[in-house]
Amino acid sequence: MIYVKDNLFALHTETVSYVFRATDSLHLEHLHFGRKITVDDRSIPALMEKQEFLTGGLNSYDEEHRSLSLENYMLEMSSYGKGDIREPFVEIIYEDGSSTSDFLYDGYKVMHEKPEYETLPGSYSDYGRSEQLVIYLRERYSGIVIELHYYVYERCDVICRSAKLRNESIQTVNLKRLMSAQVDFDDSDFIFTHFNGAWIREMNRVDNAVTAGRIVNSSYTGTSSSRANPFVMLSRRGTSQNFGECYGFNLIYSGNHYEAVDVGSFSKLRFVNGINPQGFSYVVGPEEYFEAPESVMSFSKEGFNGLSRNMHEFVREHIIRGTWKYKERPVLLNSWEAAYFDINEEKLFSLAEAGAEVGIELFVMDDGWFGERNDDTSSLGDWEVNEKKLPGGIKGIADKIKQLGLKFGIWVEPEMVNVKSRLYESHPEWVIEIPDRNHSEGRNQRILDMGNKDVQNYVIETMDRLFSSADISYVKWDMNRTFTDYYSKNLPPERQGEMAHRYVVGLYRCIKTLTGRFPDILFEGCASGGNRFDLGILCYFPQIWASDNTDAMCRAEIQEGYSYGYPMLALGAHVSSCPNHQTLRSTPLETRFNIAAFALCGYECNLCEMSENELDAIREQIELYKEWRSVLQFGDFYRHDGTGAGNVSWTCVGKDKKYAAGLLFQGLAQPNMPDKRFVACGLRPDAKYHFYNRKFKVMEEFVSMRVDTENEDYHVYGDVLMNCGVRLSQGFAASGYNERVRVFPDFASRIYFMEEE
Ligand code: DGJ
């Protein structure tokens, strides 16, 4: 709900309010973001900052407002140069070389339709009214306009913000930064949480106590990056999974991003997010405009789980779109870890055949099928089949796979080119590299200049041809390097600072066109795993390969990291073989499945080399996953507190709360420890549930025999499961074993099911 009265603006969701006002000096004063409050125009005097006399060392805004210091004010947006020395929202260099801006309130509009952005993807609503508030600010001297856009998603307690700069002046300006959101808080007693990592080590939660100064989370890899995901949180000290106040912020953008927390001299905390200003500049001429990506903001007083529930619902309802939005995702078998580049029709067919026998629904042919692609040194850009490997072409292999009753999917990496390729030879001008300079290369490949329309058209047309050449049901769209040597051969020197952003906009044009032309194909984003896991990609591709790390223990932590900001419906997770190819660790096959089952479960291993026991186990896993995937893919996901380092525990509850699945995973075993309880989350307290564990064989590689799991079977109310928990069977402790003992070695796990009776 949007309330506007006499320069007071209040945006309300079901439990959250966001309030600001236009002041007499025509600045926007931020008044509140957090728990829901009731405000009207008479509330302003109680909420506004009081500044009677300017204190020493501060600058007054102008002659008419002598006591107004912008340095000590909560601002809805801050421009550079009029006394506010904290992180600015906007920075512009004018034709005369000056860089001071003075944007002042110039009106508002409330709208009930959300128009699409011209250049970027955004949130959308296909239920109810989507309410939008637009605030207009005009720069006092040049006349340049900034529009602040706000969208309210009541049910999931999310408010989105974005900004658009329209140059209504007669000068050409250089835009150095335009943030997407700025939120000022009255105090700085917060923990700033971000998720950092690297390839095969994505999404480690990092908690920083905010004191004074600046903390920045950002990427300059050209992608949203596995180094620093754009999802961040601010929370009050002591916030746990289910209790405490916290804020979450994300960005609907796939390029270089920036999230900063800045505490000024008066202990007020400013949060900003948007495109990373490092290396960025954009020339905006008269009548031209620039759109900043949408920022997503949410608040919960119910701890991190509350915040995650808001974000999950928002992503499921207002980001993911198209045919696959509500459709159960298939169990796939991917050829990569089974065969790497060494593929041919016979091998792929045998693998798919083994997959069909255990219940796989979709077979994905990964890298290696085109050009002279026998390793990563050649052929990217030449998207024609290697007929030595696939004599019947893509159609030949696709048809054969279809005859097995499986759908067929393919891997592509359209944004890239190898120097060893026909494309590079014929179009060196399409490649990001600085002429006559040594190029720093990643994975032996270079990046196409996606900002160039000719490159976009090439990508669209070659992919269109490929996707139409056979019955293709799934596409894995990969992107395997980060940017160096930023330079577009298609842009003049003064516009080189635009390259990275133009790349992202060009990419969006390509994937929007292709997903529009092939609405039924299930697209999965990938960038060496999670190097571009963000809401921009999720606007087009309903799922993303979360990490090239398929080790169950690492995956438990990586998936838990993602779960803070993203629903499990967005995360690809595969069962692979052991010793694991990334860590060389061996974990039980059942644990590999149990972890993958809490996201989009697939397989990535050579089924042709597996024992009968393993294949039987996989057949049972897939059958079970199909039975439970509506809950596991679309349910509400909860993390549990107090699991101890290296362990995780989760509950995933179906929408109607009739069915739930819980996970208990242990890193390293400690014998003779206190027995464990399983404490669930999110159930109906007054409903009675049948609680039981998934039965399987504890595999022989860990004990000399294949033993059955213990039997847990209870009938209890939801409040017992949530407020007290189930005391599990005694863990094995070297003093005896029978069928009531829980054999729980290193990397063991259990799934518990809860069904309403
Ligand atoms: C990187 C991806 O993350 C892998 O899953 C695989 O597709 C390889 N690229 C193929 O080159």
Side-chain angles (χ1 to χ4, degrees):
M1 208 260 285
I2 296 177
Y3 169 90
V4 182
K5 184 87 191 286
D6 289 348
N7 294 349
L8 179 78
F9 303 92
L11 313 176
H12 300 290
T13 68
E14 275 179 11
T15 73
V16 176
S17 298
Y18 186 101
V19 187
F20 60 97
R21 68 164 184 132
T23 65
D24 295 343
S25 61
L26 301 180
H27 292 95
L28 295 179
E29 182 184 10
H30 179 79
L31 299 173
H32 173 79
F33 177 29
R35 288 179 191 237
K36 197 161 189 171
I37 55 174
T38 311
V39 283
D40 58 23
D41 49 324
R42 295 187 60 198
S43 318
I44 293 176
L47 297 176
M48 64 189 252
E49 176 97 33
K50 317 297 189 290
Q51 290 188 355
E52 278 312 306
F53 297 100
L54 202 66
T55 57
L58 296 180
N59 296 310
S60 63
Y61 169 63
D62 67 6
E63 204 34 47
E64 241 183 279
H65 306 91
R66 288 194 60 80
S67 63
L68 172 61
S69 150
L70 295 178
E71 185 181 340
N72 185 19
Y73 222 71
M74 303 225 309
L75 291 166
E76 196 55 21
M77 70 81 75
S78 173
S79 38
Y80 191 70
K82 296 301 290 177
D84 183 6
I85 52 173
R86 295 164 292 175
E87 284 275 343
F89 186 83
V90 61
E91 257 184 280
I92 297 170
I93 301 187
Y94 295 90
E95 265 179 5
D96 63 2
S98 67
S99 53
T100 291
S101 293
D102 195 7
F103 281 94
L104 298 176
Y105 176 67
D106 193 29
Y108 76 94
K109 190 158 79 182
V110 174
M111 288 156 75
H112 298 295
E113 282 294 301
K114 179 176 187 283
E116 272 201 31
Y117 294 110
E118 303 286 325
T119 55
L120 295 167
S123 60
Y124 75 104
S125 183
D126 50 22
Y127 61 68
R129 262 178 1 161
S130 124
E131 286 195 295
Q132 185 187 175
L133 170 69
V134 187
I135 299 284
Y136 299 92
L137 297 142
R138 190 176 287 275
E139 210 280 322
R140 194 165 177 169
Y141 298 98
S142 64
I144 290 174
V145 172
I146 287 184
E147 298 174 3
L148 300 179
H149 296 234
Y150 298 82
Y151 316 108
V152 181
Y153 295 105
E154 290 192 28
R155 287 200 218 163
C156 49
D157 286 326
V158 164
I159 293 167
C160 294
R161 269 186 75 167
S162 68
K164 181 172 182 176
L165 180 137
R166 282 193 286 112
N167 189 350
E168 292 190 2
S169 77
I170 49 165
Q171 52 177 315
T172 293
V173 296
N174 198 352
L175 181 63
K176 300 296 291 176
R177 77 152 73 187
L178 181 64
M179 290 288 109
S180 296
Q182 170 182 325
V183 183
D184 282 5
F185 295 86
D186 231 349
D187 71 283
S188 57
D189 193 14
F190 284 97
I191 307 291
F192 181 49
T193 300
H194 38 104
F195 295 86
N196 294 75
W199 174 64
I200 60 174
R201 196 160 38 75
E202 293 88 346
M203 294 303 280
N204 299 295
R205 179 178 147 178
V206 178
D207 293 335
N208 271 300
V210 178
T211 47
R214 239 167 242 189
I215 310 175
V216 172
N217 176 72
S218 68
S219 86
Y220 193 59
T221 54
T223 57
S224 44
S225 102
S226 48
R227 282 69 169 172
N229 193 274
F231 174 72
V232 297
M233 306 189 290
L234 277 170
S235 59
R236 293 294 180 185
R237 262 165 234 276
T239 297
S240 62
Q241 296 298 355
N242 294 318
F243 302 99
E245 295 196 340
C246 49
Y247 298 82
F249 302 92
N250 209 339
L251 204 60
I252 307 181
Y253 192 60
S254 308
N256 295 330
H257 60 89
Y258 184 78
E259 294 75 34
V261 164
D262 187 2
V263 180
S265 314
F266 299 91
S267 290
K268 291 187 167 77
L269 181 153
R270 168 163 302 163
F271 172 81
V272 292
N273 69 352
I275 294 175
N276 192 346
Q278 185 186 339
F280 170 87
S281 63
Y282 214 95
V283 177
V284 191
E287 290 174 36
E288 291 178 350
Y289 65 87
F290 182 84
E291 290 173 323
E294 222 174 292
S295 170
V296 179
M297 315 186 294
S298 186
F299 164 82
S300 175
K301 57 181 174 5
E302 291 174 14
F304 299 123
N305 276 330
L307 184 67
S308 299
R309 273 198 312 284
N310 297 347
M311 288 295 184
H312 293 180
E313 178 73 1
F314 171 76
V315 176
R316 282 191 302 246
E317 286 300 329
H318 305 295
I319 291 290
I320 295 176
R321 55 199 89 196
T323 314
W324 288 92
K325 178 171 177 170
Y326 298 120
K327 227 171 147 175
E328 287 180 14
R329 309 291 165 79
V331 181
L332 65 79
L333 173 63
N334 178 299
S335 66
W336 182 242
E337 284 200 18
Y340 293 101
F341 294 103
D342 188 15
I343 53 171
N344 58 49
E345 195 172 290
E346 202 186 327
K347 224 185 213 182
L348 294 173
F349 185 74
S350 318
L351 194 55
E353 204 173 28
E357 276 166 23
V358 292
I360 294 289
E361 297 165 303
L362 162 72
F363 180 77
V364 180
M365 175 172 72
D366 209 281
D367 201 349
W369 59 265
F370 54 96
E372 293 303 314
R373 187 81 171 160
N374 299 316
D375 54 31
D376 63 17
T377 59
S378 90
S379 302
L380 289 173
D382 301 343
W383 298 106
E384 269 143 41
V385 75
N386 178 324
E387 286 180 356
K388 275 185 253 140
K389 294 183 182 180
L390 301 173
I394 302 291
K395 183 156 169 36
I397 180 76
D399 286 349
K400 286 197 168 163
I401 303 285
K402 261 182 71 184
Q403 277 161 19
L404 293 170
L406 301 186
K407 304 252 183 233
F408 176 75
I410 195 167
W411 175 96
V412 289
E413 195 179 355
E415 300 156 65
M416 297 288 153
V417 62
N418 287 113
V419 171
K420 252 205 269 169
S421 69
R422 279 185 283 113
L423 181 66
Y424 187 87
E425 273 168 34
S426 50
H427 285 292
E429 78 284 8
W430 284 0
V431 180
I432 294 175
E433 54 192 7
I434 312 173
D436 305 322
R437 294 229 204 135
N438 179 25
H439 186 83
S440 301
E441 205 149 62
R443 212 193 186 208
N444 301 304
Q445 62 195 55
R446 299 199 183 178
I447 309 178
L448 291 174
D449 180 8
M450 297 295 288
N452 178 338
K453 262 239 151 90
D454 293 340
V455 177
Q456 293 164 26
N457 293 340
Y458 171 80
V459 166
I460 292 170
E461 293 322 319
T462 30
M463 289 303 122
D464 184 311
R465 230 175 299 128
L466 175 63
F467 302 160
S468 317
S469 69
D471 194 352
I472 292 176
S473 304
Y474 163 103
V475 169
K476 177 172 170 189
W477 183 295
D478 206 347
M479 194 283 190
N480 283 309
R481 68 158 288 189
T482 59
F483 287 51
T484 60
D485 306 274
Y486 282 80
Y487 191 81
S488 166
K489 297 171 189 165
N490 195 41
L491 292 173
E494 69 279 10
R495 285 193 180 269
Q496 288 300 327
E498 300 176 13
M499 193 227 89
H501 178 66
R502 284 181 179 273
Y503 180 98
V504 179
V505 172
L507 168 70
Y508 288 148
R509 176 174 167 250
C510 293
I511 59 182
K512 182 176 180 181
T513 310
L514 287 164
T515 49
R517 287 189 195 170
F518 298 91
D520 295 330
I521 289 185
L522 171 61
F523 282 86
E524 177 156 348
C526 175
S528 307
N531 199 36
R532 199 166 60 187
F533 198 110
D534 60 66
L535 299 182
I537 293 296
L538 287 172
C539 284
Y540 302 106
F541 301 161
Q543 60 189 63
I544 303 177
W545 177 228
S547 174
D548 274 356
N549 190 337
T550 54
D551 173 87
M553 171 145 175
C554 296
R555 263 306 180 127
E557 287 173 349
I558 291 169
Q559 288 174 206
E560 176 151 307
Y562 280 115
S563 78
Y564 281 87
Y566 302 91
M568 303 326 265
L569 181 66
L571 270 78
H574 297 173
V575 176
S576 62
S577 59
C578 275
N580 175 269
H581 294 197
Q582 294 77 43
T583 59
L584 303 179
R585 185 175 14 236
S586 287
T587 55
L589 175 58
E590 296 303 344
T591 288
R592 283 173 259 157
F593 165 73
N594 288 350
I595 303 289
F598 276 74
L600 301 173
C601 177
Y603 287 76
E604 191 168 331
C605 46
N606 194 346
L607 297 178
C608 301
E609 285 177 355
M610 286 189 152
S611 69
E612 276 310 312
N613 277 349
E614 286 175 311
L615 291 173
D616 286 347
I618 290 177
R619 192 174 297 109
E620 276 171 32
Q621 294 170 357
I622 295 177
E623 204 183 308
L624 182 93
Y625 184 70
K626 287 177 183 166
E627 201 184 314
W628 278 86
R629 73 179 145 191
S630 62
V631 173
L632 293 162
Q633 297 183 354
F634 295 90
D636 282 334
F637 183 88
Y638 296 79
R639 293 166 302 273
H640 301 175
D641 274 319
T643 52
N647 310 326
V648 303
S649 183
W650 304 325
T651 311
C652 185
V653 187
K655 280 283 156 216
D656 54 10
K657 296 186 185 282
K658 286 197 159 88
Y659 299 94
L663 177 90
L664 189 68
F665 166 80
Q666 163 175 274
L668 295 182
Q670 283 277 6
N672 201 16
M673 290 291 279
D675 278 327
K676 290 187 189 294
R677 273 174 203 265
F678 182 83
V679 184
C681 291
L683 304 172
R684 274 193 25 222
D686 55 350
K688 196 168 211 181
Y689 291 89
H690 177 201
F691 175 101
Y692 61 96
N693 60 329
R694 172 175 176 240
K695 311 292 184 306
F696 54 86
K697 298 274 183 207
V698 178
M699 301 293 286
E700 54 206 326
E701 64 259 38
F702 298 97
V703 286
S704 53
M705 46 189 183
R706 294 183 80 212
V707 296
D708 287 319
T709 46
E710 68 290 354
N711 186 28
E712 313 275 10
D713 203 294
Y714 310 103
H715 298 266
V716 275
Y717 282 94
D719 54 7
V720 173
L721 287 166
M722 293 188 295
N723 302 339
C724 175
V726 166
R727 196 184 276 279
L728 300 173
S729 306
Q730 184 181 7
F732 177 80
S735 50
Y737 165 75
N738 67 19
E739 67 288 354
R740 288 185 302 281
V741 168
R742 188 166 33 86
V743 175
F744 219 57
D746 288 354
F747 320 122
S749 64
R750 292 289 184 272
I751 292 184
Y752 301 106
F753 293 114
M754 288 150 272
E755 295 184 31
E756 194 186 320
E757 298 193 314

